[in-house]
Amino acid sequence: MGFLPTSVKEIKALGWEQPDIIIFTGDAYVDHPAFGAAVIGRVLESEGFKVAIVPQPNWRDDLRDFKKLGEPRLFFAVTAGNMDSMVNHYTAAKRLRSDDAYTPEGKAGFRPDYATVAYSQIIKKLYANTPLIIGGVEASLRRLTHYDYWSDSLKPSILVDSKADILVYGMGEKAIVEIANGLKKGLPLEALRGIQQVAYIDTNIEKYSRSENVIILNSYEDCRDDKFKFAKNFKVIEEESNRINSKILVEPIENRCVVVNPPFKPATTNEIDRWYDLPYTRLPHPRYKGKTIPAWEMIKFSVNIHRGCFGGCSFCTISAHQGRFISLRSEQSILKEIEEIKKLPGFAGYLSDLGGPSANMYGMVPKDLSICAKCKRASCIYPNICKNLNSSHERINNLYSRVRKAKGIKKAFVGSGIRYDLFITRKESKPEREYFENLFHYHVSGRLKVAPEHTSENVLKLMRKPTFELFKQLKLWFDALNEKFGQKQQLVPYFISSHPGSTEQDMKQLAEETRKLNFKLEQVQDFTPTPMTLASTIYYTGINPYTGEKVYVARSIEEKRKQQSYFFWYKKERKTPFTQNKKRPPKGKPPIS
């Protein structure tokens, strides 16, 4: 099966008079399950709908890209792409980036700032009466009042500025199909407001105040005028987002209100298999012939094995978008995708990544969902591993084994992150010891990247990350395996500067601690506040929503630059960089022999 059409010529070649749905996306069109617009398009197509895609429309000329396919029979759908457009455009120092990995040849400038709003306003101006649905990461994380770092302001729900009719948040396959089926039946938009995992604007707030299944949040105006009320809203939103049975959230704004329905239950293995088994070509559209799309080059030989993350890191948006519960693919579906990858031009037997948001969470599901129904914890592993979580690595060990035995696969690397606190704290457990040894021996391409994020206990607590002592223990294991297998693999840690709570003294401690471990820091970044995270809420308010305590925040560019400079302190203070030194491992007896 070919690509979804992107032009009038392609539509006519299919014999269509009119598409049912037209998707506008800020990314180039790559027909691959790692690209959201492609997934939504293929899912709708599998339900019998005629779907066209307009990638990276020009919003600065006579708007011909918005007119060329005409009006869809059912609705327009808009996404900024796989990233928030502002994160895509700007650095933590608010400098304009010179490249865009989701654009041919990595060129910048092919999507607007706040792309969801920009595209939506144009569509509503041209086709005022056609339903408009927005979704994707940008819309999802901006569904309620949120702090926008780039304008340094509190913005209302993206529904207000975009003028969209419905917002689909999270991984939207189920919701978008229900919307399409409802509109196909001729139902008015108001009749679709009962669909789960959608948000919309209503003018009748009174009807929600009478329901026991509703939480009325502080209004946008109250949040704008009182940072404590915004912090209080965040705590409620995060807790409800993490529950199995969450309530409807209603946030007043002026004489209206934004209504957010509870999400669908986590996707089952059968559901997620079906979405990943759709007939993707796994290639960029032919319109990009002869051009390179960097984001696709990075993932074209990779396999995503699950969705969701229960880590709950305070600076991360994954659980806010994909959910806290793991939706895993079957081994059969994963192996089937590998067979498809083997057919791609240029494949030489090496899978670049066999992972997910946190690669070793595959197969880790609750033992008893009824217990989860009452739980509001943001993390299933911080400050400790929940007793109701099946955190055994047995299933992922089995998966790795099957992939290694697959014909034509020379190596299957794990390039995405792992949570070492899922196995380093359980030294006595055989599956966990086997997991790390197998990972090291078979699935590391010379460098294993992990994310301790910081060394300060105070900062790590705000991050919801484990003590740095666990990372030191991991290094002992890692060095012991290097010795056991006669290898010289590297452990590469990620660190963040300027995270809320982090002081200049904390960064000096980080530099000293990592120097003692003989690391030359390279995987580092300055904290960038992104919508709908705990860390961003603390950054804006200076308040921890869960305790009400004030938190120090490095806000100015100068403060942030000074903290980041400690990553490269050795260059200024020492004549030689502190690189890993295999002859001087940390003291202590390694647990692996």
Side-chain angles (χ1 to χ4, degrees):
M1 186 174 290
F3 293 83
L4 300 175
T6 65
S7 66
V8 173
K9 182 179 178 181
E10 293 168 43
I11 287 173
K12 288 182 177 178
L14 292 171
W16 299 357
E17 289 186 8
Q18 179 186 32
D20 295 322
I21 299 147
I22 300 175
I23 300 173
F24 284 84
T25 174
D27 293 339
Y29 172 33
V30 180
D31 190 36
H32 187 286
F35 287 72
V39 174
I40 293 299
R42 287 297 187 188
V43 168
L44 287 167
E45 179 192 51
S46 72
E47 296 292 328
F49 296 100
K50 297 173 182 175
V51 185
I53 291 185
V54 180
Q56 299 189 312
N58 190 333
W59 73 101
R60 290 177 287 204
D61 59 4
D62 59 3
L63 307 182
R64 67 186 67 181
D65 284 347
F66 291 87
K67 303 171 185 175
K68 64 181 182 181
L69 302 187
E71 188 175 15
R73 188 170 66 88
L74 297 178
F75 64 89
F76 287 106
V78 165
T79 173
N82 274 17
M83 293 177 66
D84 183 284
S85 59
M86 302 307 286
V87 177
N88 179 284
H89 280 178
Y90 299 95
T91 68
K94 299 185 180 181
R95 292 176 179 168
L96 194 64
R97 298 185 191 274
S98 58
D99 59 355
D100 181 345
Y102 292 90
T103 298
E105 303 301 332
K107 293 181 179 179
F110 279 75
R111 80 183 82 211
D113 285 358
Y114 306 106
T116 304
V117 170
Y119 294 159
S120 297
Q121 288 181 346
I122 291 170
I123 291 169
K124 273 300 182 184
K125 185 177 180 180
L126 294 174
Y127 306 98
N129 298 320
T130 306
L132 171 61
I133 316 300
I134 59 175
V137 172
E138 183 167 273
S140 180
L141 300 181
R142 295 171 181 266
R143 59 187 182 263
L144 289 161
T145 294
H146 56 279
Y147 172 66
D148 180 70
Y149 174 64
W150 299 273
S151 64
D152 191 26
S153 66
L154 208 62
K155 286 182 173 287
S157 166
I158 196 171
L159 281 163
V160 175
D161 291 333
S162 69
K163 306 185 189 309
D165 297 294
I166 295 176
L167 182 156
V168 174
Y169 67 91
M171 308 302 275
E173 292 94 344
K174 293 184 184 179
I176 200 70
V177 168
E178 288 208 16
I179 290 169
N181 283 329
L183 292 174
K184 181 181 178 181
K185 294 175 184 176
L187 297 177
L189 285 165
E190 289 74 16
L192 307 179
R193 291 179 173 179
I195 295 173
Q196 291 175 274
Q197 214 161 307
V198 304
Y200 55 90
I201 292 177
D202 201 345
T203 54
N204 183 5
I205 192 171
E206 291 301 319
K207 67 181 180 184
Y208 300 102
S209 62
R210 296 189 294 268
S211 173
E212 294 182 358
N213 195 39
V214 170
I215 296 176
I216 306 292
L217 300 169
N218 293 307
S219 70
Y220 164 69
E221 291 82 7
D222 284 345
C223 290
R224 182 192 58 199
D225 298 338
D226 186 337
K227 290 182 177 180
F228 183 80
K229 290 184 178 179
F230 175 63
K232 189 175 179 181
N233 266 15
F234 174 82
K235 180 175 181 287
V236 174
I237 293 166
E238 184 176 55
E239 287 181 341
E240 288 302 310
S241 297
N242 288 328
R243 293 182 64 183
I244 284 284
N245 299 313
S246 55
K247 294 186 177 182
I248 296 171
L249 299 178
V250 175
E251 185 179 72
I253 177 169
E254 297 177 341
N255 58 347
R256 302 172 292 169
C257 62
V258 175
V259 183
V260 179
N261 289 345
F264 283 96
K265 296 291 189 293
T268 65
T269 294
N270 286 340
E271 287 172 330
I272 201 168
D273 278 357
R274 188 168 66 82
W275 299 329
Y276 275 89
D277 291 348
L278 292 171
Y280 304 96
T281 64
R282 307 187 68 84
L283 298 168
H285 189 276
R287 65 193 290 153
Y288 310 119
K289 186 177 180 180
K291 296 180 180 179
T292 297
I293 299 173
W296 175 72
E297 293 289 342
M298 290 172 60
I299 57 86
K300 63 182 178 181
F301 300 142
S302 69
V303 183
N304 190 15
I305 61 177
H306 74 266
R307 289 180 179 176
C309 180
F310 49 70
C313 298
S314 64
F315 51 83
C316 183
T317 60
I318 292 173
S319 61
H321 181 66
Q322 293 194 10
R324 181 165 67 106
F325 296 91
I326 302 300
S327 292
L328 64 149
R329 298 173 63 187
S330 68
E331 292 181 10
Q332 290 75 17
S333 175
I334 292 167
L335 291 168
K336 180 180 177 181
E337 183 172 359
I338 290 172
E339 290 301 311
E340 294 302 313
I341 291 174
K342 285 161 60 176
K343 301 173 186 176
L344 292 175
F347 182 70
Y350 297 92
L351 295 174
S352 59
D353 187 22
L354 189 65
S358 289
N360 58 321
M361 288 184 182
Y362 179 82
M364 296 186 182
V365 295
K367 299 173 184 176
D368 183 351
L369 266 178
S370 66
I371 294 175
C372 294
K374 305 170 188 175
C375 179
K376 293 183 179 181
R377 278 180 62 166
S379 171
C380 299
I381 54 178
Y382 182 85
N384 49 51
I385 297 177
C386 177
K387 293 180 180 179
N388 191 44
L389 177 68
N390 177 8
S391 57
S392 170
H393 285 66
E394 187 172 358
R395 290 191 70 171
I396 197 164
N397 284 340
N398 292 337
L399 173 63
Y400 284 0
S401 177
R402 290 192 67 180
V403 172
R404 288 197 300 270
K405 294 174 183 176
K407 186 177 180 181
I409 299 300
K410 298 175 183 177
K411 279 282 186 179
F413 298 117
V414 175
S416 47
I418 61 167
R419 287 297 296 246
Y420 56 84
D421 46 340
L422 277 167
F423 58 82
I424 206 75
T425 55
R426 303 175 63 192
K427 296 185 289 292
E428 74 290 344
S429 181
K430 185 178 178 181
E432 282 61 52
R433 291 169 65 93
E434 286 181 354
Y435 170 76
F436 190 56
E437 185 160 329
N438 286 336
L439 176 76
F440 178 96
H441 193 46
Y442 298 110
H443 304 287
V444 175
S445 60
R447 312 179 90 209
L448 177 63
K449 297 177 183 178
V450 293
E453 308 294 6
H454 217 287
T455 59
S456 163
E457 293 301 315
N458 178 56
V459 179
L460 288 168
K461 185 177 180 181
L462 287 168
M463 288 178 163
R464 295 177 180 150
K465 295 286 287 188
T467 172
F468 191 65
E469 293 302 313
L470 278 189
F471 175 76
K472 293 179 181 179
Q473 188 66 45
L474 178 75
K475 190 177 188 309
L476 286 174
W477 284 36
F478 193 86
D479 290 346
L481 288 174
N482 261 326
E483 185 174 348
K484 177 176 180 178
F485 294 111
Q487 294 181 260
K488 295 182 180 180
Q489 302 209 79
Q490 289 183 302
L491 189 63
V492 183
Y494 280 77
F495 290 100
I496 297 177
S497 60
S498 304
H499 188 279
S502 176
T503 64
E504 189 176 342
Q505 186 60 36
D506 290 323
M507 292 304 299
K508 183 178 180 181
Q509 175 195 328
L510 188 155
E512 291 172 345
E513 286 275 353
T514 51
R515 177 182 59 81
K516 290 175 185 176
L517 293 173
N518 302 309
F519 281 103
K520 175 182 176 180
L521 302 185
E522 53 181 88
Q523 298 293 332
V524 297
Q525 64 178 9
D526 195 37
F527 170 68
T528 302
T530 48
M532 211 171 176
T533 64
L534 172 61
S536 298
T537 302
I538 297 175
Y539 177 89
Y540 171 68
T541 64
I543 300 166
N544 183 337
Y546 285 87
T547 65
E549 297 173 337
K550 291 185 178 180
V551 178
Y552 168 76
V553 176
R555 284 197 180 86
S556 72
I557 296 298
E558 182 56 34
E559 285 177 295
K560 291 169 74 67
R561 188 178 293 121
K562 191 175 289 186
Q563 287 210 17
Q564 194 174 31
S565 71
Y566 279 92
F567 288 140
F568 314 105
W569 182 49
Y570 65 89
K571 291 183 178 180
K572 295 182 292 183
E573 301 292 330
R574 304 184 178 277
K575 293 181 180 179
T576 56
F578 44 96
T579 54
Q580 283 195 37
N581 188 333
K582 302 300 178 184
K583 295 181 180 179
R584 293 189 296 155
K587 294 179 180 180
K589 185 179 179 181
I592 297 178
S593 59

